[in-house]
Amino acid sequence: QQQVKQSPQSLIVQKGGISIINCAYENTAFDYFPWYQQFPGKGPALLIAIRPDVSEKKEGRFTISFNKSAKQFSLHIMDSQPGDSATYFCAARVDNTDKLIFGTGTRLQVFP
Amino acid sequence: NAGVTQTPEFQVLKTGQSMTLQCAQDMNHEYMSWYRQDPGMGLRLIHYSVGAGITDQGEVPNGYNVSRSTTEDFPLRLLSAAPSQTSVYFCASRSNLNTEAFFGQGTRLTVV
């Protein structure tokens, strides 16, 4: 049972463009929503995260938009660069636990 | 500062064999977790621990055992390997003062 649904599965963007990855969740008992970036052969690394009492968080070229009523959150990568080419995972943490539920991942390719 | 270290990096097992995947962290983190990553499935939580002597099950615990005798180490045991356990395994740790989880480089396991 996939509680966090992520789309698209793959994304191709031209250098300088905007990459948008969407996630939707079903369980309301989540208290933390991180995004992870993973390069081939490496472990995931935290990119940016948000709590449900905030609607938007921006760190450099990366922005999370969070819509609590719609149970959706998205990652926007502005001015996408070839170095951003990686797989991105959204996740949600079950309230008061250490359980992270991950989306299925989006493979982003940025072409020069 | 090595962070989260997983060994071995690669392993091939025959069906029915047992083995232990090692995970060690040198950051004095209280929380440690094991995930498996399969194509199209994202990362799924196997077992986690909130401190030495305390472990709990995640989404997909069947076929795996864990123990946490020290803060630093969190080994994952496969008692009787099955082809369905072919996957990439990631260990993660975090401090109880911080929401960011740090992942190891992964163990790529093939069961034939």
Side-chain angles (χ1 to χ4, degrees):
Chain A
Q1 182 180 357
Q2 188 69 39
Q3 296 187 56
V4 179
K5 297 183 180 179
Q6 183 171 348
S7 63
Q9 187 175 358
S10 63
L11 184 60
I12 299 174
V13 173
Q14 201 164 15
K15 179 182 176 182
I18 302 173
S19 304
I20 302 174
I21 304 170
N22 299 300
C23 283
Y25 61 97
E26 299 167 356
N27 187 339
T28 55
F30 292 137
D31 64 356
Y32 170 70
F33 299 85
W35 284 88
Y36 284 85
Q37 180 187 55
Q38 185 180 30
F39 293 104
K42 304 294 184 182
L46 180 68
L47 185 64
I48 187 172
I50 198 168
R51 293 195 181 272
D53 54 349
V54 177
S55 60
E56 184 175 281
K57 183 174 181 180
K58 183 176 181 180
E59 290 183 359
R61 296 185 294 110
F62 301 93
T63 300
I64 300 178
S65 296
F66 188 85
N67 186 329
K68 189 173 182 178
S69 60
K71 298 181 188 175
Q72 296 174 345
F73 58 112
S74 60
L75 175 70
H76 295 234
I77 305 175
M78 311 299 287
D79 187 25
S80 299
Q81 300 296 312
D84 296 330
S85 297
T87 299
Y88 293 81
F89 293 95
C90 64
R93 188 177 69 184
V94 179
D95 237 349
N96 295 319
T97 74
D98 205 44
K99 295 183 179 180
L100 278 176
I101 308 298
F102 282 82
T104 51
T106 296
R107 186 184 175 202
L108 172 65
Q109 295 173 275
V110 181
F111 287 95
Chain B
N1 189 343
V4 180
T5 303
Q6 292 184 236
T7 56
E9 189 176 350
F10 299 94
Q11 183 70 50
V12 178
L13 285 180
K14 293 183 178 180
T15 297
Q17 285 186 315
S18 62
M19 81 159 295
T20 300
L21 280 62
Q22 301 292 344
C23 175
Q25 52 91 9
D26 61 1
M27 298 173 281
N28 203 32
H29 285 173
E30 294 80 6
Y31 295 94
M32 297 187 75
S33 308
W34 276 102
Y35 293 84
R36 60 176 289 173
Q37 183 176 23
D38 302 291
M41 302 286 290
L43 288 89
R44 292 179 293 168
L45 181 64
I46 304 172
H47 286 285
Y48 66 102
S49 170
V50 299
I54 306 169
T55 63
D56 206 347
Q57 296 181 349
E59 293 178 83
V60 288
N62 293 339
Y64 307 95
N65 280 352
V66 291
S67 60
R68 183 96 181 270
S69 55
T70 68
T71 298
E72 294 79 19
D73 301 296
F74 191 42
L76 179 71
R77 297 183 186 86
L78 283 71
L79 300 179
S80 179
S84 61
Q85 294 178 304
T86 293
S87 187
V88 182
Y89 291 84
F90 288 101
C91 178
S93 76
R94 75 172 180 91
S95 165
N96 65 354
L97 301 176
N98 194 329
T99 51
E100 179 176 0
F102 294 86
F103 284 79
Q105 296 282 70
T107 293
R108 285 140 187 85
L109 176 67
T110 301
V111 182
V112 297

